[in-house]
């Protein structure tokens, strides 16, 4: 009979713990409902923004902006077109410079390697070969 009482007391203690945990979870439900509501509202706003951006892309507003400028102020239009042209040329030149820099670095590495190889060899012919390589670069 004593064992039954101990078992029942343990069960009661476990049930009390479960009740406390459940009460804590219930108190969080209100906060969670508020958070869900806010997140749904935020999601709706973001969907509206996306829809507006899609509409704006499908119907651009300033399609003929430059054409209007061409008719009203041809000098400014010419300058803008010249700026666009110069920007394109500048970008192309930067790419060329980058490519040439890479080539120069490769040639310099090759020169250093050849110089090291020739330094290991001896004789006046080596000095002549080194001068020839320098002139070729």
């Amino acid at each position: 009979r004593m064992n039954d009482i101990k078992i029942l007391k343990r069960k009661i203690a476990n049930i009390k713990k479960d009740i406390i945990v459940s009460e804590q979870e219930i108190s969080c439900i209100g906060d969670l409902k508020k958070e869900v509501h806010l997140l749904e509202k935020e999601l709706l706003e973001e969907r509206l923004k996306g829809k507006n951006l899609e509409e704006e892309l499908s119907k651009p507003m300033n399609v003929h902006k430059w054409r209007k400028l061409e008719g009203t102020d041809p000098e400014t239009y010419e300058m803008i077109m010249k700026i666009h042209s110069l920007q394109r040329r500048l970008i192309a030149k930067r790419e060329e410079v980058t490519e040439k820099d890479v080539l120069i670095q490769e040639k310099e590495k090759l020169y250093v390697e050849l110089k090291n190889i020739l330094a290991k060899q001896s004789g006046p012919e080596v000095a002549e070969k080194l001068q020839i390589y320098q002139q070729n670069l």
Side-chain angles (χ1 to χ4, degrees), residues 99-111:
E99 291 172 4
K100 288 182 180 182
D101 281 342
V102 169
L103 287 173
I104 289 172
Q105 289 175 357
E106 289 174 2
K107 297 286 184 179
E108 286 177 349
K109 285 180 185 177
L110 180 63
Y111 171 72

Side-chain angles (χ1 to χ4, degrees), residues 55-68:
E55 287 178 12
E56 188 176 325
L57 276 175
S58 65
K59 300 175 186 176
M61 304 282 272
N62 293 326
V63 174
H64 303 290
K65 183 167 86 174
W66 303 121
R67 214 174 269 164
K68 288 179 185 176

Side-chain angles (χ1 to χ4, degrees), residues 79-91:
M79 294 301 251
I80 289 173
M81 297 320 281
K82 192 172 188 176
I83 288 171
H84 287 291
S85 167
L86 291 172
Q87 287 174 337
R88 280 188 232 112
R89 285 180 48 200
L90 179 63
I91 290 170

Side-chain angles (χ1 to χ4, degrees), residues 111 114-115 117-119 121-135:
Y111 171 72
L114 290 173
K115 186 176 177 182
I117 290 171
L118 292 175
Q121 298 176 358
S122 60
E125 301 117 13
V126 174
E128 291 174 9
K129 287 182 181 178
L130 185 59
Q131 287 178 354
I132 292 171
Y133 287 133
Q134 282 179 333
Q135 290 173 357

